[in-house]
Amino acid sequence: MPFGNTHNELKMKFKSSEEYPDLCKHNNYMAKVLTPALYEQLRSKQTPSGFTLDDVIQTGIDNPGHPFIMTVGCVAGDEETYEVFKELLDPIVMARHGGYKPTDKHKTDLNPANLKGGDDLDPNYVLSSRVRTGRSIRGFCLPPHCSRGERRAVEKMSVEALDSLSGDLKGKYYALKNMTDAEQQQLIDDHFLFDKPVSPLLLASGMARDWPDARGIWHNDSKTFLVWVNEEDHLRVISMQKGGNMKEVFTRFCTGLKKIESLFKAKGTSFMWNEHLGYVLTCPSNLGTGLRAGVHVKIPHMSKHAKFEEVLKRLRLQKRGTGGVDTAAVGGTFDISNADRLGFSEVELMQMVVDGVKLLVEMEKKLEKKQSIDDLVPAQK
Amino acid sequence: MPFGNTHNKLKMNYSSEQEYPDLSKHNNHMAKILTPEMYANLRDKETPSGFTLDDVIQTGVDNPGHPFIMTVGCVAGDEETYEVFKELLDPVIEDRHGGYKPTDKHKTDLNPDNLMGGDDLDPNYVLSSRVRTGRSVRGFCLPPHCSRGERRAIENMAIESLASLDGDLNGQYYALKNMTDDEQQQLIDDHFLFDKPVSPLLLASGMGRDWPDGRGIWHNDGKTFLVWVNEEDHLRVISMQKGGNMKEVFNRFCTGLTRIESLFKDKGHEFMWNEHLGYVLTCPSNLGTGLRAGVHVKLPNLSKNEKFGEVLKRLRLQKRGTGGVDTAAVGGVFDISNADRLGFSEVELVQMVVDGVRTLVDIEKRLEGGQSFDDLIPDQK
């Protein structure tokens, strides 16, 4: 909550050391990477739309750490941020994405036929399955930096494209500012709607300005395919349903996503994408696939086991509470999803989740019967 | 909260209508004044330090209304804001400050001898007395917009000057970032310390950036004179004590304030002041004297009386909860203070509080005795 000093013209009268943020109590990727020397080099730069170094890092300064997750501590304001501030962002991308190098290439694979299995996760344990990603529209600033005019244009384009969807993807758009409190609460309870911005991580980046102007949710009639407009990214695309049929969820995901992309292309716009970073999104943690595939799974025994964290780590999975990233688990039910975003394709990440969750459920069943799980502990993926 | 779009260069590619905020659900002074035409006139302007119209209004866009107080909905980022955006701010000021015209002159009177009485408010009812104001250091951007370097420079200046105070004003500075949680909580409980920024009104303006860097509290050994550094204004100066001796509180206030001002002048720094707006502060509501003189007073009977609001209005007083501006009253104890800031001198405002609180206590005593108080109801001041 922020932001005047990020474009304050008097700040260049002060030395770099006088402007360098105090990061001594901080524990996020930005704080680890941004040395005083690096700050000095970058502090006079800005992207063509005017996004500055201070804009990039403000959220990381204002939020020293997070109880459950190692946060990134910086955001992009436009596509060019990743180029203009590559000296800061390349090391952060490397640290956050398992050693991904500036010269690496990212592969995109949205062909659901390449996913093996995934249609038979035990619904006694796997309560629901969900896949989400984000997309940014080239030529527009991202949520931390976009103007109201830009945001409204993104909304308008998105609604036009989504209105063209048909068949089982036919649906309707609900602008946040026209929603009743009751409609809104129902959508939140159904895990469909995004939160009103309360997370200080998000607020400090500037993405909540002018809320709820030009924000909304589109979903198909059966509520299994959703698009969030202008939350943390221009678009968030979500496929979800009760039970453990990840294959079906992913198939719908790929079909819908590709249809939306072609609708945008037909109107002369495209998504931000390049062969190094894949899909470009607001948070560096979501680069590449932007994909988070996960389940809500009941693992009360496994989650109390001494080896739980280690098993997750080896499976390249991450746990969250059932309310999403800033929540704790309730009643032994966890949100388990892929930890990676970049350097693996969509199919590869899905495969990790499908195989990993299957294993976790097997372990849970063993522990229920008070059997050992030692022989099931996997090698590091 | 905020702030990328306030300096987004792409926004000028959009028409004024496309950028104009949706204020249809809003109820603050900015929303009442800012027409689409005015937005079109002002949207390409900025102050020399780079503060834009969108910077000025962001807090009012993000905060449609407040349950207890009619909010201003805009802030200044520097002294020049009030000049560059006078088309917006003059009417806001006129609205907020009882018809104060762009041609009016404001009088400053910090001579405590001019206050009549005020040393004998009944301590059975008046639990504590407090006077506060703010001061801005000329040549620096204000808290919504200042850089870290500027903020730290203000802190250094404050520390130097305050260290020179002696006698009953001898004291010590506590930087927020070095305070233990216990020290901090104690100061909050004693009503000495400012809140960590949680109010969305303040956060949306940008004044919470980089917290707690450059912020701190200085107080004298007797804890009756305090200075807040870099909260909502560069400096907030507070005199306070238990009981009802407002005269003594105001004496100390004037003495301390005058000394601090001369210490700053010795170092070549003056406070932002002009003969039209008086002391220039971040929020247009605090222009003029920036003075809020108030008491915590027990009015359990009067506060439930249907005429309470009307009596306060006629006395030009305002009620708040004992936690400050964003709180509700507890146990019939109210914070009662002057409603005005601009167009009256400091002495005049404290006189209103002294006389007004005396009347309120008289009325409370009548109600306790089950008697009518119609003869005590004042005329509109």
Side-chain angles (χ1 to χ4, degrees), chain B residues 6-38:
Chain B
T6 58
H7 60 293
N8 175 331
K9 297 179 187 188
L10 303 190
K11 67 182 173 179
M12 298 310 294
N13 293 339
Y14 293 80
S15 71
S16 187
E17 294 78 26
Q18 289 168 324
E19 291 290 345
Y20 181 72
D22 180 350
L23 301 173
S24 56
K25 296 194 170 78
H26 289 59
N27 182 38
N28 56 52
H29 287 292
M30 179 279 291
K32 285 175 177 299
I33 303 277
L34 184 69
T35 59
E37 294 70 35
M38 190 182 286

Side-chain angles (χ1 to χ4, degrees), chain B residues 21-163:
Chain B
D22 180 350
L23 301 173
S24 56
K25 296 194 170 78
H26 289 59
N27 182 38
N28 56 52
H29 287 292
M30 179 279 291
K32 285 175 177 299
I33 303 277
L34 184 69
T35 59
E37 294 70 35
M38 190 182 286
Y39 187 81
N41 277 355
L42 296 176
R43 75 180 192 117
D44 58 352
K45 295 193 195 307
E46 44 181 81
T47 67
S49 79
F51 207 62
T52 66
L53 175 66
D54 285 329
D55 285 319
V56 174
I57 66 174
Q58 190 69 54
T59 181
V61 173
D62 289 344
N63 296 285
H66 186 283
F68 305 141
I69 288 177
M70 173 69 164
T71 49
V72 174
C74 52
V75 290
D78 51 26
E79 192 165 10
E80 294 80 359
T81 301
Y82 289 100
E83 193 52 44
V84 173
F85 298 105
K86 60 195 292 75
E87 220 179 305
L88 168 66
L89 294 174
D90 279 352
V92 168
I93 288 168
E94 191 158 349
D95 223 18
R96 180 71 174 86
H97 294 283
Y100 194 79
K101 297 189 296 300
T103 47
D104 284 341
K105 302 279 178 267
H106 171 80
K107 49 197 163 171
T108 293
D109 181 0
L110 283 159
N111 183 352
D113 293 338
N114 293 339
L115 179 67
M116 289 174 311
D119 53 352
D120 62 349
L121 297 172
D122 187 342
N124 291 309
Y125 294 82
V126 179
L127 307 178
S128 60
S129 307
R130 179 181 184 271
V131 182
R132 67 85 161 153
T133 189
R135 292 290 185 263
S136 309
V137 182
R138 183 159 274 164
F140 293 83
C141 291
L142 296 170
H145 189 49
C146 67
S147 74
R148 283 179 294 275
E150 291 189 285
R151 198 185 297 114
R152 291 162 178 170
I154 301 272
E155 187 189 32
N156 285 338
M157 280 185 271
I159 289 172
E160 267 186 49
S161 304
L162 295 167

Side-chain angles (χ1 to χ4, degrees), chain A residues 187-253:
Chain A
L187 288 166
I188 290 172
D189 292 342
D190 288 343
H191 302 280
F192 291 162
L193 189 61
F194 42 95
D195 293 337
K196 295 171 212 183
V198 294
S199 164
L201 296 174
L202 298 178
L203 292 174
S205 74
M207 54 79 75
R209 288 166 298 122
D210 316 312
W211 201 275
D213 195 318
R215 274 81 168 193
I217 169 175
W218 178 96
H219 66 75
N220 65 349
D221 297 336
S222 51
K223 287 186 179 174
T224 54
F225 192 74
L226 294 78
V227 178
W228 293 354
V229 178
N230 287 319
E231 193 238 8
E232 188 184 331
D233 286 291
H234 288 162
L235 300 173
R236 285 285 178 99
V237 178
I238 301 147
S239 172
M240 62 198 285
Q241 65 195 49
K242 298 283 187 202
N245 194 341
M246 253 308 195
K247 177 94 174 177
E248 192 170 79
V249 170
F250 187 56
T251 302
R252 186 187 310 113
F253 177 79

Side-chain angles (χ1 to χ4, degrees), chain A residues 1-3 5 7-8 18-20 22 46 54-55 62 145 147-148 150 152 177 203 206 209-210, chain B residues 1-3 5 7-8 18-20 22 54-55 62 146-148 150 152 177 203 206 209-210:
Chain A
M1 286 127 195
F3 317 62
N5 85 338
H7 62 293
N8 175 329
E18 289 166 337
E19 290 290 346
Y20 181 73
D22 181 348
Q46 45 180 270
D54 285 329
D55 284 320
D62 289 343
H145 190 49
S147 75
R148 282 179 293 271
E150 291 188 283
R152 290 162 178 171
K177 64 170 152 180
L203 292 174
R209 288 166 298 122
D210 316 312
Chain B
M1 276 110 200
F3 315 65
N5 86 333
H7 60 293
N8 175 331
Q18 289 168 324
E19 291 290 345
Y20 181 72
D22 180 350
D54 285 329
D55 285 319
D62 289 344
C146 67
S147 74
R148 283 179 294 275
E150 291 189 285
R152 291 162 178 170
K177 65 169 149 177
L203 291 174
R209 289 167 301 127
D210 314 312

